[in-house]
Amino acid sequence: MKHDLSSTPARGHVTLVGAGPGDPELLTIKALKAIQSATVVMVDDLVNEAIVAFASPSARIVYVGKRGGCKSTPQSFIEKLMVTAALEGENVVRLKGGDPFVFGRGGEELEALHAAGVRVTVINGITAGLAAVSSLGVPLTHREYAHGVVFVTGHAKPGSMGTDWRALATTARQAKLTLVIYMGVSGAATIQRELMHGLHADTPVAIIQNATLPQQRHAVCTLSELHSTIEREQLCSPSVIVVGDVLQGLLAAGLEVDSTPAYARTA
Ligand code: SAH
């Protein structure tokens, strides 16, 4: 990965913008301004249409995610589109769910843009894991229960080794870490089985689907019940799975399944 391009004259400019977890009010002011001034907006899956609507009526909106069950646009094609538009002098915003650099391949896009000599600005967004846990009224860290957080993907690049869940579980128990698992729902049976090699079966777990959106749902259970709870409650993507003792209070309170959206509860 090479980021020092001082010898390459920059041509064109792309802003990678984090759209946050869903609720449009969770956008940063910087993100809003960038979206409003863009002439081309390239939109990922999982970006709320209400956020895309902030774009100028004259802006060209390009959807590049997998919508309606279609296969997503190949990554290399998205990168080519961005480079071409930037070199044509367009004000390009690449709108990505959550934070552009937490999963979602923002790092690869940055590399491709730099390689083409295109200047890149990044505007952070609230990542789904952060918002999902906060929507339950639970902290990610706590001086007594959690000394750190791990954001980890449950879905590694096809053909790669994938996460060593056993090692992670052992470290999480010894170092008191909260695990925040993205893209983990379809692999939950494996994740549960492997994590139980290092974490207690009764470690609290939460599954939060569509965090911060009106259709948010979540369930709280123990690690040994993770997969069966997902099946029973038919929780599906996009969901974040959180594992750790910071959820102890929620589990004890018996808030096991709740389909009331967070915003409605606090209103
Ligand atoms: N860059 C994004 C993550 C992209 S990977 C971010 O920072 O949030 C896509 C995964 O993010 C989903 O499979 C899911 O695990 C998680 N995710 C995104 N939006 C979510 C939401 N509103 N609620 C729960 N999980 C979400």
Side-chain angles (χ1 to χ4, degrees), residues 29 40-41 46 57 60 85 87 93 99 107 109 115 129 141 159 162 167 188 191 216 226 235 245 255 257 266:
I29 295 170
V40 175
V41 185
L46 298 181
R60 183 154 59 94
L87 296 182
V93 156
D99 184 88
E109 294 182 8
T141 65
I191 293 172
Q216 174 169 339
L226 172 63
L235 290 158
D245 286 337
L255 291 175
V257 179
T266 52

Side-chain angles (χ1 to χ4, degrees), residues 21 46 97-99 102-104 127-128 182-183 208-211 237-240:
L46 298 181
D99 184 88
V102 179
F103 309 118
T127 189
Y182 291 63
M183 297 168 274
I208 307 116
Q209 180 182 335
N210 283 316
S237 178
S239 290
V240 158

Side-chain angles (χ1 to χ4, degrees), residues 122-179:
V122 179
I123 299 177
N124 290 116
I126 297 179
T127 189
L130 195 53
V133 184
S134 301
S135 77
L136 305 183
V138 168
L140 279 173
T141 65
H142 188 289
R143 280 188 359 157
E144 279 181 36
Y145 315 113
H147 298 170
V149 187
V150 178
F151 289 152
V152 59
T153 174
H155 186 83
K157 183 175 171 179
S160 72
M161 272 280 286
T163 304
D164 185 342
W165 297 105
R166 295 187 188 195
L168 188 59
T170 305
T171 309
R173 181 169 45 80
Q174 289 170 347
K176 292 192 179 191
L177 304 176
T178 305
L179 301 181

Side-chain angles (χ1 to χ4, degrees), residues 21-223:
D23 180 347
E25 294 198 354
L26 291 174
L27 270 182
T28 65
I29 295 170
K30 248 187 206 299
L32 179 61
K33 286 182 178 168
I35 296 165
Q36 286 172 332
S37 61
T39 57
V40 175
V41 185
M42 298 186 49
V43 187
D44 249 10
D45 255 354
L46 298 181
V47 173
N48 190 341
E49 202 48 45
I51 292 174
V52 181
F54 288 127
S56 154
S58 61
R60 183 154 59 94
I61 312 289
V62 187
Y63 291 96
V64 292
K66 36 179 181 261
R67 305 208 148 213
C70 301
K71 273 193 96 179
S72 57
T73 316
Q75 189 64 24
S76 58
F77 186 68
I78 299 174
E79 289 160 5
K80 237 180 240 161
L81 281 181
M82 276 195 288
V83 169
T84 308
L87 296 182
E88 282 169 355
E90 301 282 2
N91 181 350
V92 184
V93 156
R94 173 74 172 108
L95 198 49
K96 301 178 76 70
D99 184 88
F101 280 173
V102 179
F103 309 118
R105 308 180 72 172
E108 288 167 51
E109 294 182 8
L110 180 85
E111 284 166 24
L113 290 163
H114 276 173
V118 173
R119 235 165 10 97
V120 183
T121 308
V122 179
I123 299 177
N124 290 116
I126 297 179
T127 189
L130 195 53
V133 184
S134 301
S135 77
L136 305 183
V138 168
L140 279 173
T141 65
H142 188 289
R143 280 188 359 157
E144 279 181 36
Y145 315 113
H147 298 170
V149 187
V150 178
F151 289 152
V152 59
T153 174
H155 186 83
K157 183 175 171 179
S160 72
M161 272 280 286
T163 304
D164 185 342
W165 297 105
R166 295 187 188 195
L168 188 59
T170 305
T171 309
R173 181 169 45 80
Q174 289 170 347
K176 292 192 179 191
L177 304 176
T178 305
L179 301 181
V180 181
I181 306 167
Y182 291 63
M183 297 168 274
V185 166
S186 57
T190 308
I191 293 172
Q192 170 185 328
R193 187 189 65 232
E194 295 296 298
L195 284 182
M196 279 170 54
H197 284 273
L199 282 165
H200 295 298
D202 59 359
T203 305
V205 170
I207 310 104
I208 307 116
Q209 180 182 335
N210 283 316
T212 80
L213 289 165
Q215 62 272 33
Q216 174 169 339
R217 296 174 64 224
H218 77 260
V220 182
C221 57
T222 62
L223 182 56

